[in-house]
Amino acid sequence: MLQIRFFIPTIFVNNHNAMPMLFSSFIIKLSFNMEETMKKTILLSVIASTMVMAGGNITPVEPVVAEVEKDWGEIFGQSRTFYIDRTYSGSLVNNRNSLATGGYIGYKSPDFNGFTAVVAAYGTYGFDIHSEDADVIGSASYDPSLYGDAFDNYAFIGQAYVNYAFGNTNIQAGRVRLDTPMAGADDARMLPNLFEAAVLSNKDVENTTLIAAHVFRETTGTFSNVYGAPSALSLQSGYGLGYKEGTSGSFANMGTIALGYNDINGDGSIDNETAGVTAFAAIYTGIEGLKLQAWDYIAWDILNAVYLQADYGWNCLLSDSVKMKASAQYINETDIGDAFAASVDSNYFAAKLGASFGGLSGYAAYSVTSDSDAAMNGGIITPWGGMPAFTQGMVTRHMFFADTDTWKAAATYKFADLGLKATAYYVEFDIGQANTYKPGQAWTASESGFDIQYDVAAVKGLNLRLRANYPRDFAPGLDWDEYRLIANYNF
C-alpha cells in the first residue's frame, strides 16, 4: 500500500498581532490487490485536518488595485492687465493713457505616438477711462498700443498647430509663436506677433541645434499700432509698411506685411505678396562658455538677411566669483529675386561686455549701422518683429538707422529672497544725416529708464512689473515720460 501526505499552507490575516498559521493536510491512500483476477481496487481517502495557531477574527487580504490617472491634456495661458501713461513735451504737449486686460488661454492635447496638438485664443479689451470712447477721441487721450487697429477690442485664434516629436527631431506646423532674431513675437504690449509657419529642429549632431523653417503669414501684435501710419520709422523698428494688413488678429502674407501696397522698385506693381520667408539656423554650444549661432533668412523676392551672434562667458582672472561675458552680433542684408524693396545693402555690427557678481550684473554695448546708396540708405530693414539689437531702448529703436552709432549701459540687481529684480539703463544714438526718419537731419537722441519685476510668492505664476522710459529728442525736439504697470498671471 502506498500512502502520500501533502501539506498545503493557507494564510489569512487576523485583526490582532498574533502570527497567523493555518495548515491543511491531505492523505491519499492507494491500494492494489493483485490476487483477484487483474482486479484493481483504488481507495482514495481524503482527510482534512486543520490546526489554527492564531486567535481573533480572520479576514482575507483584499487586493490593492492602483488607479491610473488618465491624461486629458493641459490647459495653459496668461492673463495680462496693462496700464500705460505717456506725457509728451517739447514739440508736442499731450498726455494719453490706456488700461486694458486680456491675454491668452490654450489647450495642449495628450501625446499620441509623438503627436500633440495645441490651440490658443488671444484677446484684448480696453476700458473707457476717459469721457469719450477710445474709437471716438483716439490717440489724443488713449494710447493705441493696447488695442487692435482703430482701437478695436478683439479676440482670435492665435495658435493652432500640430507638433510631432521623434528622437532628436521636432516638427511644428500651423499658427505658432516665433522668437527668432529677425522674426519674433516682440511681446512688449498686450498681445504679441504670431505667425503661420512650419518649423523643424534637430539635435542629432552633438551640442548643435539645426533649424529649418518657412513662414507664410503674420498677425502683428498690439505694439504695432503705436507707430500710427506705416513709415520708415516702423520699417526699421519691427513693423513693415503693410503692418496694418495684419492687425486685429488678421494673418497677412509676409511680403505684404513688409512692404504693403507700394511700388518701391518702380516695376509698376503694388502687389508685394511673396512666397514667404525661409529660415535656416545652426546653434552650437560644444565649447565650455561659448555659444555660436548663425541664421539665414530668405525673404523671397525682397531680401536675404544673415544674422550672426557669438557669446563667451568666463570667470574673471581676479576672482572666480565675478563672471564675465563678451558678445558680438552682425546683420547683413542684400536684395534677392525680383527685389520688391529695390536695392538692399545694409550692415549692422554690435559688441557687448558684461559682468556679474552675486545678484548684481551689468553690461555696456556699442553698435554701428553703416550707410549706402540702397534702400533706407543702408539702414536695417526689420518688418517682422525681429529686434535682437544689443543697443535698443525700451521704445527707441534708432540703432538700425543708417549712419548711426549707438551705445548703451545697463545694470540689474536680483533680490533672490524677495523675488524682486530691478534694472536701470541709458542708451544714446548718434544719428547721421543719412537716416530716413528725418532725412538730412543729424541729431543725438537718448533714452533712460528702469524696469522692476516682482514675483509674488503667495500666488504662484503672478508677476507684477513697473517700467518707465524717458526718451529725449526721439525726433528733434520731441520728448516724453512713459510709465507702465503690468500684472501677468501665468498658468
Side-chain angles (χ1 to χ4, degrees):
M1 177 176 295
L2 179 63
Q3 177 174 297
I4 305 174
R5 182 182 296 268
F6 294 89
F7 290 90
I8 303 177
T10 306
I11 300 176
F12 291 84
V13 176
N14 59 39
N15 293 333
H16 301 280
N17 293 325
M19 175 68 71
M21 188 178 298
L22 179 64
F23 294 93
S24 296
S25 64
F26 297 82
I27 300 174
I28 300 175
K29 292 182 179 179
L30 302 177
S31 175
F32 301 90
N33 187 342
M34 301 298 294
E35 295 179 348
E36 298 184 5
T37 306
M38 300 304 293
K39 184 177 181 180
K40 298 179 181 180
T41 303
I42 300 176
L43 175 62
L44 177 61
S45 171
V46 179
I47 303 174
S49 62
T50 304
M51 179 176 60
V52 179
M53 301 295 294
N57 297 327
I58 298 175
T59 306
V61 174
E62 294 292 337
V64 178
V65 179
E67 293 187 8
V68 178
E69 185 175 348
K70 189 172 182 62
D71 184 3
W72 295 101
E74 174 188 351
I75 301 293
F76 65 92
Q78 181 187 79
S79 170
R80 174 174 294 179
T81 299
F82 202 124
Y83 174 75
I84 185 169
D85 184 287
R86 177 182 290 188
T87 300
Y88 290 96
S89 60
S91 59
L92 174 66
V93 178
N94 185 45
N95 173 261
R96 68 186 192 189
N97 45 45
S98 292
L99 173 65
T101 191
Y104 63 92
I105 184 169
Y107 170 74
K108 180 181 179 180
S109 74
D111 184 286
F112 180 74
N113 293 330
F115 285 94
T116 54
V118 170
V119 61
Y122 288 70
T124 181
Y125 180 85
F127 295 98
D128 295 328
I129 60 174
H130 297 285
S131 58
E132 297 284 348
D133 293 349
D135 58 353
V136 175
I137 58 177
S139 59
S141 295
Y142 288 89
D143 190 295
S145 64
L146 306 187
Y147 298 84
D149 188 33
F151 293 90
D152 285 343
N153 296 317
Y154 68 101
F156 69 107
I157 300 298
Q159 292 188 70
Y161 64 87
V162 174
N163 195 90
Y164 180 51
F166 59 100
N168 293 318
T169 301
N170 193 84
I171 301 173
Q172 197 174 84
R175 290 186 174 181
V176 299
R177 172 173 172 150
L178 298 179
D179 290 287
T180 77
M182 301 301 290
D186 199 17
D187 192 7
R189 293 296 196 276
M190 279 301 298
L191 301 180
N193 303 322
L194 297 165
F195 301 85
E196 292 182 356
V199 183
L200 181 150
S201 63
N202 178 271
K203 296 183 178 181
D204 280 339
V205 180
E206 186 177 3
N207 301 313
T208 303
T209 300
L210 301 175
I211 299 171
H214 187 78
V215 189
F216 299 90
R217 297 174 184 84
E218 178 191 4
T219 181
T220 56
T222 59
F223 182 43
S224 64
N225 296 295
V226 79
Y227 291 100
S231 64
L233 175 62
S234 68
L235 183 59
Q236 295 180 99
S237 301
Y239 298 92
L241 299 178
Y243 81 79
K244 281 189 173 291
E245 302 302 316
T247 57
S248 299
S250 298
F251 285 80
N253 178 270
M254 294 289 279
T256 304
I257 291 286
L259 303 176
Y261 295 102
N262 301 286
D263 182 12
I264 297 175
N265 65 355
D267 67 355
S269 173
I270 62 172
D271 182 5
N272 292 306
E273 187 169 316
T274 69
V277 177
T278 302
F280 299 98
I283 302 171
Y284 176 71
T285 57
I287 299 174
E288 184 178 358
L290 180 66
K291 180 179 180 180
L292 302 174
Q293 51 182 314
W295 296 76
D296 185 28
Y297 297 82
I298 305 167
W300 298 100
D301 291 318
I302 299 178
L303 59 83
N304 186 87
V306 174
Y307 177 84
L308 305 176
Q309 182 172 332
D311 303 279
Y312 182 66
W314 72 97
N315 292 334
C316 179
L317 298 178
L318 300 178
S319 173
D320 286 346
S321 60
V322 177
K323 310 300 180 184
M324 305 295 296
K325 186 176 182 180
S327 302
Q329 62 182 180
Y330 172 68
I331 301 173
N332 170 262
E333 294 181 338
T334 55
D335 57 278
I336 59 172
D338 290 337
F340 289 167
S343 175
V344 176
D345 181 13
S346 306
N347 290 280
Y348 164 92
F349 171 81
K352 181 169 67 172
L353 179 63
S356 63
F357 175 75
L360 178 65
S361 63
Y363 69 86
Y366 180 78
S367 70
V368 176
T369 301
S370 61
D371 62 332
S372 72
D373 295 329
M376 312 307 294
N377 290 340
I380 296 297
I381 298 171
T382 175
W384 305 295
M387 197 49 54
F390 295 160
T391 52
Q392 71 182 74
M394 190 181 298
V395 290
T396 311
R397 298 175 170 183
H398 296 354
M399 66 282 155
F400 284 158
F401 289 174
D403 189 22
T404 296
D405 297 353
T406 307
W407 68 271
K408 181 180 181 181
T412 299
Y413 192 84
K414 295 181 181 180
F415 302 86
D417 294 341
L418 301 177
L420 189 67
K421 180 173 73 171
T423 298
Y425 69 92
Y426 178 83
V427 57
E428 189 169 287
F429 310 85
D430 183 11
I431 303 164
Q433 293 182 349
N435 80 87
T436 53
Y437 177 41
K438 300 294 179 182
Q441 297 188 58
W443 81 100
T444 298
S446 66
E447 180 186 316
S448 58
F450 66 82
D451 185 359
I452 300 173
Q453 296 189 60
Y454 174 54
D455 292 322
V456 181
V459 183
K460 183 180 179 181
L462 178 61
N463 174 271
L464 302 179
R465 193 170 190 178
L466 174 64
R467 311 187 80 190
N469 58 80
Y470 310 102
R472 296 296 179 259
D473 289 313
F474 184 89
L478 178 62
D479 308 334
W480 70 73
D481 296 347
E482 180 180 282
Y483 297 91
R484 310 175 192 174
L485 183 60
I486 310 160
N488 290 321
Y489 177 65
N490 298 289
F491 57 92

